[in-house]
Amino acid sequence: MRRTLATLTASATAGVAALALAAAPGAPAVADPPNPAPPKTPTAIGHGGAVSSVDPYASAIGLEVLERGGNAVDAAVATAAALGVTEPYSAGIGGGGYFVHYDAATGEVTTIDGRETAPADMQPDAFIDPSTGRPYRFSPELVTSGVSVGVPGTPATWDEALDRWGSLSLSDALAPAAALAQRGFVVDETFRLQTSENAHRFRTFTSTKELFLGDGLPEVGSTFRNRDLARTYRQLGAKGVDWFYGGRLAAEISATVQEPPLSGDTDLPVPPGSMMPGDLADYEALVQAPTRVGYRGYDVYGMAPSSSGGTTVGESLNILEQYDLSSMTPGQALHHYLESTALAFADRGRYVGDPAYVDVPTEALLDDTFAKERACELDPEAAAAKPVPAGDVTSYDGVCATADPQTADERDTEGVSTTHLTTADRWGNVVAYTLTIEQTGGSGIVVPDRGFILNNELTDFSTVYDPADPNRIQAGKRPRSSMSPTIVLEDGEPVLALGSPGGSTIITTVLQVLLNRLDLGMGLPAAVAAPRASQRNTAAVTAEQAFVDAYGAALAGYGHRFAVAGAPGSSASEIGAVAAIEVGPGGMLTAVAEPRRRGGGSAMVVDPD
Ligand code: GLU
């Protein structure tokens, strides 16, 4: 049964109400007054439903949907569509993602794999420059290309989620975001910074330059409108996803990938892709079982491959469960955290890829006995030399033996973009949803007149072809992801849901927040705000400056070395941007977003306490 959101125009939330009015047919385009951002709060406590995302416009739209009787899935899709407007460099219908759903009626956790796929004609040497015989330079050359664009999975994910669990039609779920795109949002520091960091790539394409660099960089405080996207959302709502995957838009997307609209303003080579309309027609969002591990009495559910999120977070938790972190000093506990993820990343690199193409030993990777054996490699007193080798999933008994010296995958070229949102409703349904267009700004290619950027997700394949690599390029395959939307249950009831952007640091960010909350005695706001570090089986630990300041000296005693993330002031100097919801006694909801990272996120509840 689908409800309608027609009454949204009467909303009391000033921003959203105005948005909906602006969407009315025939509304004058130029007379729109400014649309100030709703207030930004990193923590909200209350009942009746909650939304957490990086953006106040998006969270307000999700909240509005909940207030009007929509459920967590309706709110998640509406919030995601709004993020496609205000966070167009991180998410949108040109990308993909992973959706985890807890169904209060059945107690089941189910996931949707909306990952992008490689075109049927993609060749194993697609990332080799034919003019030199060598791989394209990764950035900015390979990432700014048609060859890196995968078939988008986001529209199919929204449609599948609404169809299975939602109460709104796609059209109604997209309406508030269409209105937001029409009316515009106020540019903040983060949007301006991300635009400026991408200006060279964006100038390469007529469509992107026109949309995002129109009269130069968008000024902080100015209003950014995307009427093309407003129209695209309305058409998608009215015509359905077949229009995207089998109709006019499929033809436009594949034409754009094959022949990106070059402006001639830069000398980037922009290798074209091979995507055909048939690749879009063949796309399927996959409904699949989650990963599950038991951890200190909780059940932690995540994304199974093609994402490596669930297996890598899960394996790390299984390793850490061998130790009593809560009785350790912070330095000891963090040493165990860093060493556990190095081990899990070694296994991720060796074993995880798209299960439709490679045999992924998901069960073994999540097996407690396997974790016990992996924990043999964790020296409580000293950091191991990195990279550590992968474990042997074919033969393990949990008994410590000499390590099998297999090589580990140390390459890491995933972006640090993406966005995550979490929703909960009054009926107890919960959604954790991470979506992306890969790196900030995706491929940089806007589909002309459509208002959205195409992803560069195929750069998540290993860039050098190795037949033994589970993440090698294969036609039709999904590149391995790190996205880790996670829902934690206790006695069958949800207690915590979270996720983050950040490329492969997503895995460690989600894990670190889980440990902060479940083991180290922090409340959720503190667990999210705490400084972060990420050990992905590399010689140095990537860490925020604040982490090095707080724990660097203690951890140096174990032999850990640190590389401070990004350049100071750049968007890469932060690790992750968590959006989480905790469900407490009596159904009390604590929605938490970042207090500072990415300019601070936005958490909202329907009935604040
Ligand atoms: N493409 C990455 C992944 O799927 C996410 C990119 C990011 O977070 O920047 O894991």
Side-chain angles (χ1 to χ4, degrees), residues 89-90 96-98 115-116 306-309 348 413-419 434-440 456-460 479-484 500-507 598:
Y89 308 146
S90 297
Y98 295 92
R115 185 66 161 172
E116 298 91 333
S306 59
S307 182
S308 61
R348 167 189 180 270
T413 49
E414 284 177 42
V416 289
S417 167
T418 308
T419 195
T434 313
L435 62 162
T436 188
I437 57 172
E438 183 8 42
Q439 73 180 90
T440 308
N456 65 315
E457 213 72 56
L458 302 185
T459 60
D460 276 1
R480 176 175 61 216
S481 170
S482 301
M483 287 186 265
S484 310
S500 175
S504 54
T505 66
I506 291 171
I507 291 167
R598 283 217 197 167

Side-chain angles (χ1 to χ4, degrees), residues 109 111 289-293 300-305 307 309-311 314 362 366:
V109 179
T111 72
T291 57
R292 189 202 76 83
V293 297
V300 181
Y301 290 89
M303 256 338 286
S307 182
T311 55
T362 301
L366 295 172

Side-chain angles (χ1 to χ4, degrees), residues 49 186 202 278 396:
V186 177
F202 287 178
Y396 55 87

Side-chain angles (χ1 to χ4, degrees), residues 295 300 312-318 320 336-338 340-342 344-345 484 486 498 505-519 535:
Y295 185 70
V300 181
T312 315
V313 170
E315 183 184 342
S316 306
L317 286 172
N318 283 341
L320 289 169
H336 283 75
Y337 154 66
L338 296 173
S340 74
T341 57
F345 266 79
S484 310
T486 301
L498 75 159
T505 66
I506 291 171
I507 291 167
T508 55
T509 293
V510 167
L511 181 67
Q512 206 180 343
V513 173
L514 287 172
L515 300 181
N516 287 346
R517 179 71 194 98
L518 303 179
D519 287 292
Q535 170 48 277

Side-chain angles (χ1 to χ4, degrees), residues 13-294:
T13 304
V16 179
L19 301 174
L21 286 169
V30 280
D32 298 337
N35 179 29
K40 233 192 244 181
T41 348
T43 299
I45 298 175
H47 289 82
V51 183
S52 181
S53 84
V54 293
D55 180 74
Y57 293 97
S59 292
I61 280 176
L63 194 80
E64 185 85 24
V65 167
L66 292 172
E67 285 170 348
R68 306 242 148 217
N71 65 27
V73 171
D74 301 324
V77 174
T79 305
L83 289 168
V85 177
T86 55
E87 294 268 308
Y89 308 146
S90 297
I93 55 174
Y98 295 92
F99 194 101
V100 181
H101 176 247
Y102 170 80
D103 188 331
T106 62
E108 273 175 28
V109 179
T110 310
T111 72
I112 302 175
D113 174 331
R115 185 66 161 172
E116 298 91 333
T117 56
D121 248 1
M122 188 168 191
Q123 302 298 313
D125 63 354
F127 293 164
I128 305 292
D129 181 348
S131 68
T132 62
R134 286 198 301 276
Y136 291 106
R137 193 153 64 120
F138 189 77
S139 184
E141 283 82 356
L142 184 59
V143 297
T144 316
S145 70
V147 75
S148 68
V149 180
V151 178
T154 292
T157 304
W158 294 352
D159 196 51
E160 184 69 46
L162 289 172
D163 217 43
R164 279 184 173 258
W165 307 299
S167 66
L168 294 179
S169 66
L170 183 61
S171 161
D172 287 336
L174 296 183
L180 175 61
Q182 179 87 24
R183 173 90 190 277
F185 62 92
V186 177
V187 170
D188 64 7
E189 297 282 354
T190 304
F191 187 75
R192 183 181 161 86
L193 178 66
Q194 291 180 340
T195 311
S196 109
E197 288 174 341
N198 277 289
H200 182 68
R201 298 191 325 118
F202 287 178
R203 256 202 312 279
T204 306
F205 307 101
T206 50
S207 49
T208 317
K209 187 174 149 185
E210 186 183 306
L211 180 58
F212 294 116
L213 298 171
D215 307 316
L217 287 179
E219 290 298 328
V220 172
S222 67
T223 297
F224 186 88
R225 298 188 175 88
N226 189 341
R227 297 199 169 98
D228 287 346
L229 183 59
R231 208 172 38 251
T232 303
Y233 275 171
R234 288 196 196 105
Q235 282 180 289
L236 183 60
K239 299 179 185 195
V241 288
D242 287 350
W243 174 66
F244 188 98
Y245 289 102
R248 171 109 180 249
L249 201 45
E252 289 178 27
I253 291 170
S254 45
T256 305
V257 170
Q258 288 183 33
E259 213 171 318
L262 298 181
S263 66
D265 282 6
T266 72
D267 55 5
L268 289 178
V270 193
S274 60
M275 193 181 293
M276 306 283 282
D279 292 312
L280 285 117
D282 287 346
Y283 186 82
E284 244 186 300
L286 305 173
V287 177
Q288 63 185 33
T291 57
R292 189 202 76 83
V293 297

Side-chain angles (χ1 to χ4, degrees), residues 517-563:
R517 179 71 194 98
L518 303 179
D519 287 292
L520 303 182
M522 295 184 205
L524 189 58
V528 170
R532 297 196 184 123
S534 182
Q535 170 48 277
R536 289 158 291 157
N537 203 17
T538 53
V541 176
T542 307
E544 293 175 338
Q545 184 63 55
F547 184 95
V548 179
D549 294 344
Y551 306 112
L555 287 165
Y558 294 85
H560 294 282
R561 290 200 291 112
F562 293 94

